[in-house]
Amino acid sequence: MGFVNYEQKDAIGIITINRPEALNALNSQVLDDLSATFDSVDLKTVRALVLTGAGEKSFVAGADIGEMSTLTKAEGEAFGKKGNDLFRKIEEFPIPVIAAVNGFALGGGNEIAMSCDIRICSDTAMFGQPEVGLGITPGFGGTQRLARLVSPGMAKQLIYTARNIKADEAYRIGLVNAVYPLEELLPAAEKLAATIAQNAPIAVRNCKKAINDGLQVDMDKAIVVEEKLFGDCFESYDQKEGMANFLRKKDDPAKVKHVAFKNE
Ligand code: CO8
């Protein structure tokens, strides 16, 4: 599809933003293509996604500055909404999405990475919210997600100064979970996705929903969110087979087997 490539490898889907000539900057077409790609993921067979950028230099170098440069107030709001709608779709996508950040993740690039469940990056990666240097605020959720992911003080420092940080600092402040040499990044992301994909898919989905929904409410309500999603699992084949397998193992270690979870 246009600016986005999609490949399924067993239970993993790999989404690659493919506009390397503009360092994978997000124009309206890229946002539309990404949205359509997420809509097309076969949720019956795919259990985890990897999101990365084409080329060796950039994950996403931000929203497209050329496209934004002539926007009116109303058009700016509409462009912000287009990005925000997509990033919410990613954040709430039923299955985990891993951002494999292979270079620049600036402005909208850092923001799309932050809408993913997990971020890992190459040692060449660079993160930042340069918007105030361009006369705008972060407009694809940066003020909100960065403050929640790192700390309000660190988010404010990064956003107010528009300073870019390298992979090691992103790791230190908890923006990414791990740093790899560039050539090892995608294999590591696929391995992580495969590890997730071998677990019970309904349980994994419910964990994502429990963490996301629970973070939006106070602890008393959050616990209820968890209880309901926990309860739901007891209607699944995966729970019955997963627990039965554990009991079989206790009974006779020779009966150990790999549980083929069924997503049902
Ligand atoms: N938008 C459009 N084109 C871009 C962008 C971008 N964000 N970033 C890079 N490009 C293009 C360049 O124009 C250049 O194109 P061309 O070859 O036609 O001149 C090509 O990509 C290669 O870029 P450079 O030659 O600049 O490559 P360098 O290696 O010299 O520099 C940098 C790499 C440092 C990443 C540099 O390109 C840069 O600073 N880019 C802009 C980074 C930036 O400021 N990003 C934030 C943008 S603002 C944003 O994302 C706001 C999000 C919220 C929007 C909400 C809207 C309401």
Side-chain angles (χ1 to χ4, degrees), residues 19-26 57-58 60-68 71 75-81 104 106-109 111 128-131 134 136-141 164:
R19 196 189 172 207
E21 65 282 3
L23 303 184
N24 303 319
L26 303 172
K57 198 168 162 184
S58 184
V60 170
D64 191 297
I65 297 173
E67 181 174 339
M68 285 188 295
L71 296 183
E75 289 166 343
E77 278 179 26
F79 188 58
K81 179 164 169 26
F104 294 115
L106 303 176
E111 290 168 312
Q129 297 290 159
E131 284 88 347
L134 295 164
I136 56 172
T137 62
F140 289 160
N164 293 340

Side-chain angles (χ1 to χ4, degrees), residues 173-184:
I173 66 172
L175 185 55
V176 298
N177 290 1
V179 182
Y180 297 91
L182 180 61
E183 64 280 7
E184 291 174 23

Side-chain angles (χ1 to χ4, degrees), residues 206 225-236 239:
N206 283 11
V225 167
E226 190 189 75
E227 281 165 12
K228 288 195 183 315
L229 288 160
F230 173 72
D232 281 354
C233 296
F234 288 82
E235 291 186 331
S236 69
Q239 175 271 329

Side-chain angles (χ1 to χ4, degrees), residues 17-263:
I17 301 170
N18 187 20
R19 196 189 172 207
E21 65 282 3
L23 303 184
N24 303 319
L26 303 172
N27 63 15
S28 294
Q29 190 60 52
V30 178
L31 295 174
D32 286 341
D33 290 353
L34 271 169
S35 185
T37 302
F38 274 90
D39 288 343
S40 74
V41 171
D42 176 11
L43 289 170
K44 288 200 174 67
T45 55
V46 177
R47 297 181 181 181
L49 291 170
V50 173
L51 177 68
T52 194
E56 301 216 321
K57 198 168 162 184
S58 184
F59 173 67
V60 170
D64 191 297
I65 297 173
E67 181 174 339
M68 285 188 295
S69 62
T70 57
L71 296 183
T72 62
K73 175 174 155 53
E75 289 166 343
E77 278 179 26
F79 188 58
K81 179 164 169 26
K82 187 188 265 288
N84 278 328
D85 287 350
L86 168 65
F87 293 11
R88 256 331 246 159
K89 181 183 285 190
I90 296 172
E91 193 164 47
E92 298 195 313
F93 206 65
I95 57 177
V97 185
I98 300 164
V101 179
N102 57 310
F104 294 115
L106 303 176
N110 191 39
E111 290 168 312
I112 195 169
M114 290 192 294
S115 71
C116 298
D117 294 273
I118 294 168
R119 283 151 297 289
I120 61 176
C121 74
S122 64
D123 52 11
T124 58
M126 176 93 77
F127 298 81
Q129 297 290 159
E131 284 88 347
V132 295
L134 295 164
I136 56 172
T137 62
F140 289 160
T143 55
Q144 304 309 308
R145 292 197 180 90
L146 191 57
R148 285 166 170 77
L149 264 177
V150 294
S151 66
M154 184 58 79
K156 285 176 175 176
Q157 183 171 328
L158 289 172
I159 290 171
Y160 300 168
T161 60
R163 187 174 68 87
N164 293 340
I165 56 171
K166 293 184 178 166
D168 56 347
E169 193 171 350
Y171 177 68
R172 187 179 62 74
I173 66 172
L175 185 55
V176 298
N177 290 1
V179 182
Y180 297 91
L182 180 61
E183 64 280 7
E184 291 174 23
L185 176 65
L186 207 51
E190 289 181 20
K191 192 171 168 202
L192 180 56
T195 304
I196 293 169
Q198 75 186 8
N199 288 320
I202 292 171
V204 171
R205 286 179 185 214
N206 283 11
C207 289
K208 173 166 178 169
K209 193 163 169 46
I211 294 169
N212 280 358
D213 292 359
L215 281 172
Q216 305 308 316
V217 295
D218 66 45
M219 186 57 87
D220 288 326
K221 293 197 181 87
I223 289 299
V224 176
V225 167
E226 190 189 75
E227 281 165 12
K228 288 195 183 315
L229 288 160
F230 173 72
D232 281 354
C233 296
F234 288 82
E235 291 186 331
S236 69
Y237 164 90
D238 291 348
Q239 175 271 329
K240 290 178 190 14
E241 187 52 26
M243 291 193 174
N245 189 52
F246 177 82
L247 295 175
R248 273 196 299 270
K249 272 194 265 183
K250 272 178 72 171
D251 177 40
D252 176 0
K255 290 184 185 162
V256 170
K257 64 168 189 171
H258 174 71
V259 183
F261 290 114
K262 282 191 175 173
N263 205 7

